[in-house]
Amino acid sequence: MSDTTRVLSDGRRASEQEIQRAAPSRSLAPVVVSVTAGSPAAEVGVLAGDEIVRINGEVPRDIIEWQMAADEADVELDVSRGGLDLAFSVEKRAGEPLGVDVSSAVFDRVRTCDNHCEFCFIYQLPKGMRRSLYLKDDDYRLSFLYGNFTTLTRFTEADLERVITERLSPLHVSIHATDPDVRSQMLKNQRGAMSLRWLRALLDHDIAVRGQIVVCPGVNDGTVLADTMAGILDRFPELDSVAVVPLGISKFNGEAAMRFHTTEEAQAVVDIVADWQDVFEATLGKRMVYAADEYYLMAQRPFPPAERYDGFPMHEDGIGMARTFEAEFQGRTADATGVRRGFFAAVDAPPNPAAYTGLRTSTPCASDVADASASISLRPRRTAPIGILTGELGAPVISPLVDSIDRDDVRVIAVRNEFFGGNTGVTGLMTGEDVSRTLAAQPEGHRYLLPDVCLSDEGRFLDGLTIGDLPRVVEIIETDGIALRAALEPA
Ligand code: SF4
């Protein structure tokens, strides 16, 4: 591993090894965290706390292998319980749920990233947060399971074989630039120059891949971005879609070259994307590339009409959410467009199959996501005035919708992100500290609506606080327009 050092949020320099040592190591065997009552596993006596040593004679490396083995008709489990070795034979139908939730997604250690991107948000985290948040992963399995983006710099022939054999599709790949020199410079990794060959190999084997370009002004915008579009058309036309997103800058950024976009730079990105959408559509029959909603806000341009998002293939990555939210809020669609991932979903997700994008078969309901509100009993009256909490980038999206319903008892409350500072105005990065400070200045007795995207599945904000730490009672709602509209309806 390289001995590159980074400037940390407290001004110290730390080596890459030190940073990753601070991140958590993963358990090497899955541990049963819950057993569904009446399930095949419960019938034979599997208990929460059991450590799975083998399933069907094999040591599972991750939840993917676990799920495949658990789906078989008859399942043999070797478990360790308090130092005792036990064996269970479970008879069930193929595909019938085993009834066991296990403790993590990857059992043989997450493959960590050995890039050193100057724009990496993990380097811009303040110290003292949950250790899991400092984990820099570059693991194709987390790409499949959670939609994390991988640079493929640590991808191997064996990985390719497994992806193809097990059809781990779709995957999510960080492109950033197709020019090998620019890409390796951005990743600060020589292998970044060549690792897109794996993207070619994945596409050759019909693995669906969604791409991402994080744009850093002065680095890969302008002509470099246009060249990257041409490179995608030339070398990777089978990509499903490509998200163009701005870099995130927190107040802990220690890299002088990394900065916000100016309005003109954001406008230039929007223009390049629009121009290339036309080229892709004319040559490939699909628009392929989409700019993040943040770009239209930064560029002070209207969001593209909904039909230009082609079904919102990258909704989970912040592409087109303003338009879907609007359609949902205005009742023009019966269902929410898709599951939204909170920031760092991969490190905080519970052992619930619905949390795994790649294994998911249905949309989790609100009760799966956060039940922390269930213990709140002193709720304000349903008819009380309503404050909708949202990030500073969410406010300009929601405010016009609220204005349109002409309700003087409903207001939008933008939560300024002072915890991270910088340009971190997205709702998913709201912290308990900031929400708390904002609510403290608001009157008591009002209803306060909090979108679930800023909470982990355990009901924690990124800074570890829970809604129980807030100075006002809040109602957690799903982060979509249908949920907001329902919450605003009279009792
Ligand atoms: S590849 Fe991702 S995790 Fe790794 S340094 Fe770059 S931004 Fe950070």
Side-chain angles (χ1 to χ4, degrees), residues 35-276:
V35 181
T36 307
S39 66
E43 294 291 315
V44 299
V46 178
L47 297 176
D50 285 348
E51 198 168 297
I52 307 289
V53 179
R54 271 179 290 276
I55 181 168
N56 296 340
E58 302 287 337
V59 178
R61 288 176 290 179
D62 47 51
I63 195 76
I64 305 164
E65 289 185 345
W66 163 265
Q67 192 72 49
M68 290 171 74
D71 274 350
E72 290 183 16
D74 296 321
V75 175
E76 302 291 329
L77 290 174
D78 294 320
V79 311
S80 173
R81 180 183 296 167
L84 286 177
D85 292 331
L86 303 173
F88 297 104
S89 293
V90 185
E91 293 182 12
K92 66 178 189 65
R93 298 183 309 279
E96 182 184 0
L98 184 59
V100 167
D101 285 335
V102 293
S103 52
S104 61
V106 175
F107 314 138
D108 64 350
R109 292 189 190 283
V110 171
R111 191 173 298 173
T112 54
C113 146
D114 63 354
N115 306 315
H116 315 285
C117 311
E118 289 181 322
F119 56 85
C120 180
F121 200 74
I122 292 173
Y123 296 132
Q124 303 180 53
L125 295 177
K127 62 179 179 177
M129 299 184 74
R130 295 197 294 291
R131 291 181 72 207
S132 56
L133 298 178
Y134 299 93
L135 181 71
K136 275 173 51 190
D137 83 80
D138 202 352
D139 195 316
Y140 69 94
R141 297 171 298 179
L142 297 186
S143 179
F144 171 69
L145 289 169
Y146 296 107
N148 290 12
F149 282 89
T150 171
T151 63
L152 298 173
T153 51
R154 298 199 62 193
F155 204 68
T156 66
E157 200 68 56
D159 297 334
L160 178 64
E161 191 177 324
R162 183 176 174 200
V163 168
I164 294 165
T165 306
E166 297 180 13
R167 303 308 300 170
L168 304 185
S169 176
L171 294 181
H172 302 74
V173 172
S174 286
I175 297 170
H176 302 329
T178 49
D179 180 301
D181 292 335
V182 176
R183 190 167 190 267
S184 63
Q185 282 165 20
M186 287 187 73
L187 301 183
K188 295 229 176 314
N189 187 339
Q190 283 297 322
R191 275 179 282 114
M194 300 304 296
S195 66
L196 286 182
R197 75 184 191 282
W198 294 118
L199 173 56
R200 188 59 260 154
L202 291 167
L203 296 172
D204 285 342
H205 288 90
D206 297 326
I207 299 298
V209 181
R210 295 171 186 162
Q212 182 195 51
I213 297 168
V214 176
V215 180
C216 302
V219 178
N220 64 333
D221 58 347
T223 53
V224 177
L225 182 59
D227 286 350
T228 299
M229 297 290 125
I232 289 171
L233 179 62
D234 184 40
R235 294 165 55 196
F236 310 115
E238 304 94 335
L239 279 165
D240 268 13
S241 51
V242 179
V244 177
V245 304
L247 82 170
I249 296 275
S250 90
K251 65 184 180 187
F252 305 104
N253 170 40
E255 303 291 345
M258 296 293 108
R259 59 172 178 81
F260 308 149
H261 290 70
T262 63
T263 304
E264 293 72 29
E265 287 168 341
Q267 289 170 345
V269 170
V270 167
D271 288 341
I272 288 171
V273 168
D275 289 348
W276 277 91

